Amino acid sequence: MPGGQDMLQAGQWSCVAGVTLSADTLSVSAPASGYNTVIDTTGPVLQAQGDFSVLATLSDPGTTGSFLTMVGTLNTGSLFWTGLKRLDVGLSNNGIVANYWTGSSANPTSQAYSLPPGASDPINLEVARIGSQIVVFVNGSQAGSFADPGLFASGQVYFGFNVAPGNTLNVLALAAAMPAGSNVSLSTSDLQVAHRTGSGLRDLAAGSGLLIGAAADAPYFTDPNYVQKLGGEYNLIVPENDLKFAETEPALNQFSFCAADQLLSFAQANSMKMRGHNLVWAQNLPSWITGGKYSSGQTYSILQDHINAVVGHYKGKLVDWDVVNEALSNSAPYGLDQTSYWYTQLGGSYLDTAFQLAHAADPNAKLFYNDYGGEGLGGKSDAIYALVQGMIGRGVPINGVGLEMHLTLQGAPGASDISANMARLGALGLEVHVSEMDVRLAVGANGSASAADLASQAALYQSVLSACVANSNCTAFLTWGFTDLYSWIPSSFPGFGAGLLFDQQYNPKPAYTSVSAALRPAGAAAQPVINPDGIVIHAGVSAAVSPGSLADIYGTNLASAQATAPGAPLPTMLGNVQVMVNGTLAPLYYVSASQVDFQIPYSVAPGPALVRVTSNGIAGGSAGITVQQAAPSILTYVDGSGSTRAVAQNQDYTINSSTSCAAPGSYLTVYLMGSGPLNNAILSGAAAPASPLSQETLSTTATLGTTQGITQGTTQGTTQANVAFAGMAPGFVGLMQLDLQAPNLSGDFPLQIQVGTFVSNQALLCVGK
Ligand code: XIL
């Protein structure tokens, strides 16, 4: 199909429960008890502004009620149909049925069409939006049409299937067709990148290196608020459930990494790290294992295969693993929980075994023992200490302890006990993570807590985080979720809720404010200020700046200490300072209290742009600049007689001056700031490569002479020099190089460079003398 895009293999169907995807067939089965409706919210997603057409080849041995489902807007409320814009088209009762929902009723509007004569299984179904009509074709001929009530006005189409009880629908093909001239594109995954404010928790913590994390679940990525807060505030993700045993090995030796892979992709796209949680736990075991009546030898093999497969799949990609979770009993004398499946099958040695297997599978991942109720000092905490101390003594590869920190206001351990516990684990050489913090509060029917409890909760969060900040071996602080909208608390502890930093509407709670205060380094609370006209471009030579150029910011409170970048690639955080240009982090090469030098990221589009400095996590106001496709300005120096001359290197390696001129016909190199777009794209912050050369794509000309002209015999005017190369100077960041051939002139002439339509300053160049 011309312009068609396969959506079967390109999609993420294996992530969807109830769907199996073989080499060329996607199968969806429904139990005898009811319909099975699956919607793949992770992709493919069709971005459709105009006409589009979707083709599906359906094989439906059951013949009743199997549909292709296309969703324009996912449901927005608790009922499946609230806000839902959905169209189902498929086979039903030996005909074609189209059902659509418009978001205000459980009952769809239904249309029935006849199958064309001779149609037999499988059928080729085509659903097209043509202008304001939805048209259904079967095996190439039109079966019927209806007026589109704006089902896909969102501009997106998610796909799924709806299968009648007891049926299995086989989908042999699924594709989107894009007629010429229509604006249809297909993204195979709905990967989202959060806008960074520069003052999120992750930014506040960045200077100290403490990671700020939250438990996350991939299905919520369809909620834009979820994406913004998760990516904007945190730099560490832990899958709340997706790496647990039942999720990763739903059947013996059948592994599924789909959901956790999505979380990892999100983490990578948002410059976040990801923890692994967890490999060995008494809970969340699939019934095939607990009911499997395996011998201890078989259980050992299952454990080994599981760890090898799961840790191996993420080798080099996760920063750490909770290898064993909650192995200790929760009441005195707090020994190993002997009722755990793993203990009954393998005895107490399973812990050492698991750590050794995990270490072999990914030697660079840090390995943690994770537990609850032992965060402060006391019996459980002593038991955790003794457990990990014993492991270290036996040479078991363990790097840290996760302190879960699921707290209540009444039973919370004191901050000094938490700190002492962190310190004694540190003395064993172990890191600690606050791995799952929440503080559950008594809530009313609508899930809201009292103002007094919210204030106590804020104080508790602050004291726990402060204990972590005070102990250098506390390297990560994670909460178990981040919005009260999605939290395990209400279902696990009825009557409780509101345990996290953001409320159900994603508003920051008092606990958010107290956590951000605890992250702010003392004495660094001043807001950075950019001076009026404090952004200086090309040493003031140019009013506009091009992507890739270097620029300076002058102001106050910019950094608490001076720092120079170690070299390319330039970092985006230097001396606790960040610069954002239109929300994109800029590479930095120098910071001090009064000056920050940075590169305009290549991705910033021409037009007005806002520059904002964030220092120690505190964002300053923004200042405007103008970004222009190219803004060439010749680097200059002032010579002994006060003339402004081009920084240029002659062919004999001397610097061009009034007494060291370029011979006519020889080559010389001139340096400029302000390249425009490049045909060999350079990453922001990276030096231009020596090979392949990054050439300027706009035409570049070099002219000698001004309106006063060059006197050549009787002719007055300007002379163009041959341009042998124009592009980024190899090995430099943001520096443009021009190789010219000196024309046949004699004297000092003003040189001017034009890149595209953009004209540079003038600087003297000596030729021929
Ligand atoms: C919980 C999840 O939050 C729930 O969604 C799931 O149903 C059960 O597990 N300690 C842990 C976590 O180590 O894995 C648990 O997560 C919460 C307690």
Side-chain angles (χ1 to χ4, degrees), residues 215 217 239-241 244 277-278 281 283-284 322 325-326 370-372 404 406 435-436 438 480 487-489 491-492:
D217 263 324
E240 181 164 349
N241 290 302
K244 291 174 183 173
H277 172 85
N278 58 53
W281 189 25
Q283 293 183 39
N284 202 261
D322 286 335
N325 204 43
E326 303 178 352
N370 189 54
D371 212 333
Y372 67 99
E404 291 186 12
H406 295 291
S435 58
E436 306 184 7
D438 49 27
W480 207 238
S487 160
W488 75 308
I489 294 172
S491 57
S492 303

Side-chain angles (χ1 to χ4, degrees), residues 703-752:
T703 310
L704 288 171
T706 63
T707 43
Q708 287 97 38
I710 299 167
T711 309
Q712 293 171 343
T714 55
T715 317
Q716 289 212 330
T718 55
T719 294
Q720 277 207 0
N722 291 329
V723 176
F725 169 76
M728 299 312 285
F732 289 89
V733 178
L735 191 65
M736 189 181 171
Q737 172 177 331
L738 211 67
D739 294 345
L740 305 179
Q741 193 176 21
N744 194 8
L745 297 171
S746 179
D748 264 332
F749 300 99
L751 169 71
Q752 190 162 48

